[in-house]
Amino acid sequence: MKGNRRLVLIFSVISVFVFLFSQCVDSVKKVPVAENAVAGSKTCIQCHKNVYESYLKNPHFSTTSPITADSHLPIGGNTNVYNYDKHMKVVVEKRDSGMYQVAYLDGEEKLARRFDVAFGSGEKAFTYATWKGKSLYQLPLSFFKSQDSWANSPGFSGSRPNFGRVIEPRCLECHSSFIDHKVVKSGGLTVSDELVKSSLVYGINCERCHGPAAKHVEFHIENPKEKEAKFITLYKSLSRKQKVDACGVCHSGNDAEKLKSTFSFKPGDDLNEYYGNFSESFDESSLDVHGKQNQMLSGSKCFIKSESLDCSTCHSTHNQNKVGLTAYSKKCMSCHSTIKHTDKTLANAMVKTNCIDCHMPLKPSKLISFQQAGQSNVSPYMLRSHRIAIY
């Protein structure tokens, strides 16, 4: 009898614990997702497979990417050697633990740093970074597609390799979707920013443009028949200023006074809340074609006279942007079909298929240039001007 009572007591206690545990689990499940909680872009593929796969080909997706054992780096022949002079050179080498940039002085290895992160989509160039402790450093050589060769990284001297340029969180605010960092201070002064390597979210992901998506995902998983997007920002719902600001977060340059991290920017926010001396006005003498597309577009007569022209008129961030100059020109001619050109202009056979090269020409950047090995002249870095005008 005592044995049976003991068994009954044990099973009763177990039943109580099972019941209480199930209640705890249910209560956890019922806790609503926070408004600002992120879901991660890969969750988007569940419902937006075609859009997601198309976006993988968009340059925004590749603004930063990890260098892995499978990563393809341009190497072969003499293209992997950059000679500073007859004594100093940097060689791109493949080693057992990865790809490296290695500095040699009179044939003796002096320093080797591994490729860890690629910056840029590769459409025009790649520059690279290496992790050292809790800091990210830019490597001295970048690969320029226009030259099909390695050259010194932008802003670096062509006389000696520099392995000491720190990549600050501000750079990653436009080249990634998030990285956590800790500001280290001494005597009230900022000494350094310690980056949390494991927190780096590469590229510009879905949530960077549409806002945190966890609540959106939760709602639509629980309500699969609901077709209207909830708890997410749709670009088409924004005003023109909000649309331009959403792109201007990264396409307005980096010389304005930063009030707070743009990692916290959500579509619909006012860019003036993030930059203290932000100006949308156009001043051709001070604006550079690298990073100032927002101000250049805003200073164009096409933009000023139109009520609907914005970045998405020509660019689709869900697709691969490079559709060709003819396709872009058709967008121009949809509004300017009656524009009359001079006889001299009309003599150019390209006038009906290429508005872009004349009215949005390639311009050299004042901020970025590069120098090839063995050359004393500095090569310009050419980018498309977003000031639509008669040049």
Side-chain angles (χ1 to χ4, degrees):
M1 290 294 291
K2 289 183 178 180
N4 289 337
R5 288 176 182 173
R6 187 179 291 111
L7 287 173
V8 170
L9 180 61
I10 291 171
F11 280 117
S12 298
V13 172
I14 292 174
S15 298
V16 170
F17 275 111
V18 169
F19 173 77
L20 291 174
F21 180 74
S22 66
Q23 292 301 304
C24 289
V25 171
D26 288 342
S27 67
V28 170
K29 288 181 180 177
K30 292 175 184 177
V31 173
V33 172
E35 195 77 33
N36 293 326
V38 298
S41 285
K42 288 188 178 179
T43 60
C44 303
I45 200 171
Q46 299 175 65
C47 301
H48 307 286
K49 185 174 184 292
N50 291 338
V51 172
Y52 182 86
E53 291 181 348
S54 175
Y55 182 65
L56 296 182
K57 301 174 184 177
N58 188 276
H60 288 87
F61 178 78
S62 304
T63 50
T64 45
S65 55
I67 302 295
T68 66
D70 299 326
S71 298
H72 173 72
L73 292 176
I75 183 171
N78 293 321
T79 61
N80 61 319
V81 179
Y82 186 94
N83 292 295
Y84 287 85
D85 53 39
K86 63 181 181 180
H87 300 288
M88 176 67 72
K89 66 181 178 181
V90 170
V91 183
V92 177
E93 296 182 1
K94 185 174 183 179
R95 297 184 174 184
D96 291 341
S97 55
M99 298 291 294
Y100 284 77
Q101 290 193 19
V102 187
Y104 289 92
L105 180 62
D106 292 328
E108 180 182 353
E109 180 180 325
K110 291 297 180 180
L111 187 65
R113 290 288 181 265
R114 189 175 63 187
F115 287 84
D116 288 323
V117 181
F119 280 75
S121 65
E123 179 188 346
K124 296 185 180 296
F126 278 116
T127 195
Y128 300 92
T130 186
W131 284 104
K132 185 180 178 183
K134 296 179 181 179
S135 296
L136 198 57
Y137 292 87
Q138 187 174 10
L139 292 171
L141 299 186
S142 296
F143 189 85
F144 290 85
K145 188 174 179 180
S146 61
Q147 306 296 324
D148 193 31
S149 68
W150 295 92
N152 66 310
S153 293
F156 283 18
S157 168
S159 59
R160 281 291 182 270
N162 180 4
F163 287 85
R165 177 187 280 177
V166 176
I167 293 178
E168 299 176 351
R170 180 71 185 93
C171 304
L172 290 161
E173 285 182 20
C174 286
H175 282 276
S176 74
S177 290
F178 182 76
I179 192 166
D180 195 10
H181 66 101
K182 176 184 176 183
V183 177
V184 179
K185 292 189 175 183
S186 177
L189 298 176
T190 299
V191 177
S192 64
D193 275 302
E194 293 183 350
L195 303 178
V196 181
K197 181 180 177 181
S198 60
S199 71
L200 177 56
V201 180
Y202 293 96
I204 302 301
N205 66 8
C206 308
E207 290 171 292
R208 194 75 198 271
C209 295
H210 291 283
K215 197 168 184 65
H216 167 76
V217 172
E218 177 195 54
F219 176 84
H220 285 283
I221 286 177
E222 293 177 354
N223 303 275
K225 293 184 179 180
E226 178 60 62
K227 300 303 179 184
E228 182 182 352
K230 303 287 187 180
F231 306 107
I232 201 75
T233 302
L234 299 180
Y235 191 80
K236 64 182 180 182
S237 70
L238 300 174
S239 67
R240 182 166 79 151
K241 177 180 173 13
Q242 289 173 329
K243 290 177 180 178
V244 174
D245 276 4
C247 298
V249 170
C250 294
H251 294 284
S252 296
N254 60 0
D255 56 350
E257 176 193 0
K258 190 179 76 169
L259 300 178
K260 53 185 176 180
S261 171
T262 55
F263 280 139
S264 62
F265 181 94
K266 300 181 188 64
D269 286 356
D270 188 339
L271 205 55
N272 290 283
E273 296 177 3
Y274 291 81
Y275 296 118
N277 57 345
F278 177 69
S279 173
E280 296 177 351
S281 62
F282 179 80
D283 178 5
E284 191 168 13
S285 63
S286 64
L287 296 184
D288 190 74
V289 287
H290 177 263
K292 292 286 189 178
Q293 292 89 344
N294 187 9
Q295 292 90 332
M296 288 188 161
L297 177 63
S298 298
S300 304
K301 284 187 178 179
C302 286
F303 182 88
I304 295 168
K305 292 185 175 182
S306 170
E307 295 182 356
S308 59
L309 178 65
D310 59 55
C311 309
S312 66
T313 302
C314 296
H315 298 289
S316 172
T317 52
H318 286 160
N319 301 312
Q320 189 171 1
N321 279 341
K322 285 299 176 183
V323 295
L325 295 181
T326 299
Y328 285 130
S329 297
K330 286 180 179 179
K331 297 177 184 292
C332 300
M333 288 185 281
S334 66
C335 291
H336 299 288
S337 58
T338 60
I339 291 295
K340 293 182 179 180
H341 291 89
T342 65
D343 291 338
K344 183 179 179 180
T345 302
L346 289 172
N348 185 344
M350 298 295 290
V351 71
K352 292 184 178 180
T353 58
N354 185 359
C355 309
I356 310 303
D357 277 340
C358 287
H359 299 289
M360 298 178 67
L362 290 168
K363 293 280 189 177
S365 170
K366 304 182 187 77
L367 301 175
I368 299 178
S369 60
F370 59 94
Q371 190 172 354
Q372 292 179 272
Q375 295 189 12
S376 58
N377 62 305
V378 176
S379 300
Y381 189 66
M382 307 296 289
L383 291 167
R384 182 73 60 188
S385 172
H386 276 66
R387 182 194 173 221
I388 309 167
I390 299 172
Y391 286 85

